[in-house]
Amino acid sequence: MSKPTVAILGASPNRARYSNISIRAHVAQGFEVFPVNPRGGQIEGLTCYATLADLPVETLDSISVYLSPPVGLKLLPEIAAANAGKVYFNPGADSPEVMQAAKELDIPAIQACSIIAIGSSPGEFMD
């Protein structure tokens, strides 16, 4: 059986940032994790992709968004095109404008912390 897939949009190499904690939490819960950041490179030993379109998978089970609302709004068409089963807009990434625009694009948006949603606590991964 294959692992569930998740893209972490706004991934950071900074271990104090929630996007980095989310990478580690998802790996610990058995996910195949795809960090996404325009800078590329590697984060937590994983290849980091510049865009969602660059990912080496056809479909994603979920996307976890860690972007400021203005950036998130600009990327909503790319998020919609990824056709993920669910898209988490984590605290700080959500705004009324983002959530309304996501609804209009038929994005299966969830306003919640994806780390908690998968059964982890961010505190477990604080260095």
Side-chain angles (χ1 to χ4, degrees):
M1 181 159 157
S2 62
K3 293 179 176 184
T5 55
V6 61
I8 309 296
L9 197 52
S12 172
N14 180 342
R15 290 177 66 89
R17 300 203 54 128
Y18 280 97
S19 62
N20 183 285
I21 291 168
S22 183
I23 291 168
R24 291 181 280 136
H26 279 86
V27 167
Q29 290 285 356
F31 282 76
E32 184 173 2
V33 179
F34 300 99
V36 179
N37 184 307
R39 292 186 201 102
Q42 282 208 330
I43 297 178
E44 294 300 320
L46 302 171
T47 298
C48 186
Y49 297 88
T51 69
L52 286 170
D54 294 335
L55 299 183
V57 291
E58 292 288 316
T59 59
L60 288 163
D61 293 304
S62 59
I63 297 172
S64 186
V65 180
Y66 290 92
L67 300 169
S68 67
V71 175
L73 272 173
K74 289 180 191 161
L75 290 181
L76 283 177
E78 184 179 328
I79 292 168
N83 211 21
K86 53 190 160 199
V87 180
Y88 287 94
F89 288 88
N90 292 279
D94 58 347
S95 72
E97 296 80 15
V98 168
M99 300 314 293
Q100 181 59 39
K103 182 178 177 184
E104 290 167 8
L105 289 170
D106 290 325
I107 293 170
I110 300 168
Q111 269 182 290
C113 173
S114 65
I115 299 167
I116 292 170
I118 62 167
S120 292
S121 165
E124 297 172 51
F125 299 91
M126 301 277 182
D127 287 341

